[in-house]
Amino acid sequence: MRLVLASNNAKKLRELQALFAAVPVELVAQGSLGIAEAEEPHITFVENALAKARHAAAACGGAAIADDSGLCVDALGGAPGVVSAHYAPMPADAADDREALRAAQDAANNRLLLQRLEGVADRRAAFVSTLVAVRHAADPEPLIAFGRWDGQILQALQGDGGFGYDPLLFIPDLGLTVAQLPAATKNAHSHRARAAAQMRALLHAQWHLG
């Protein structure tokens, strides 16, 4: 079964392909099918994920899955939340290449987060992920899964793996930042891994896959 991922993020595609390797689905990025990214106007992860999944499903005429995820910081009232990917203004001198743009945005986001937490003692935060899958654009029974990965925001970046806020979120149970973790460890413990585990169970029980 083909399952279109409502994202053009290559790193997210690889991560989810690994997490769904045991499920008999072919996970393909919407960009490879010429599908534009959907609007994300909502203030909650679940609403945005559902909007993205329905958009991709309508465009491809079949099943789709979407992930809406981000960083929620306790001391900031849950911010950056659904705007995690675009928390800071894009640098004016950012390159035109997609991956270079993402790297520049990540760096700007991390700088802004550290500025807003300057002098703040409560550094508790969590990566959260909501996965939504639909059989078709008008599916009245979308599958919805949630994952949360608790940690603490450091004072400075540590590690060069992963993407986004990975170098800033320290996981006490593992003694490393997300950016310092091997890919296999991240895929076993992450917010997206936890949401994916729920989604795999739902795909088996509701869509009879696997």
Side-chain angles (χ1 to χ4, degrees):
M1 175 182 185
R2 187 180 73 173
L3 193 57
V4 174
L5 174 63
S7 172
N8 293 326
N9 186 321
K11 291 182 178 179
K12 184 179 288 189
L13 174 64
R14 288 194 295 271
E15 189 174 345
L16 286 170
Q17 283 175 329
L19 291 169
F20 286 96
V23 181
V25 296
E26 178 194 5
L27 196 62
V28 299
Q30 63 181 7
S32 67
L33 303 175
I35 301 172
E37 294 190 355
E39 295 294 324
E40 301 176 45
H42 305 293
I43 61 173
T44 66
F45 295 110
V46 66
E47 290 173 296
N48 281 332
L50 182 58
K52 289 190 287 188
R54 291 202 189 283
H55 169 82
C60 75
I65 187 168
D67 163 73
D68 203 54
S69 55
L71 179 73
C72 293
V73 180
D74 287 16
L76 301 179
V82 297
V83 298
S84 291
H86 303 284
Y87 190 38
M90 175 62 77
D93 59 349
D96 293 332
D97 175 77
R98 174 178 288 273
E99 291 304 312
L101 280 170
R102 289 190 187 279
Q105 182 72 70
D106 288 349
N109 291 340
N110 285 326
R111 286 193 298 270
L112 180 58
L113 178 62
L114 289 175
Q115 289 171 10
R116 296 199 169 161
L117 286 176
E118 188 172 353
V120 176
D122 182 2
R123 315 289 288 194
R124 290 174 299 168
F127 278 146
V128 298
S129 171
T130 299
L131 285 171
V132 173
V134 294
R135 294 164 291 188
H136 50 82
D139 193 341
E141 191 180 15
L143 305 182
I144 304 175
F146 303 96
R148 180 181 175 88
W149 201 12
D150 293 303
Q152 300 168 359
I153 301 298
L154 297 181
Q155 301 282 351
L157 306 177
Q158 290 187 20
D160 54 10
F163 58 95
Y165 302 94
D166 288 0
L168 284 179
L169 189 69
F170 178 79
I171 308 299
D173 290 346
L174 300 175
L176 296 169
T177 67
V178 176
Q180 293 172 315
L181 295 174
T185 304
K186 180 179 178 180
N187 284 345
H189 295 274
S190 76
H191 55 307
R192 201 166 286 120
R194 297 174 189 199
Q198 287 187 15
M199 181 58 74
R200 289 195 301 268
L202 289 170
L203 289 170
H204 174 72
Q206 302 297 323
W207 291 11
H208 311 293
L209 294 175

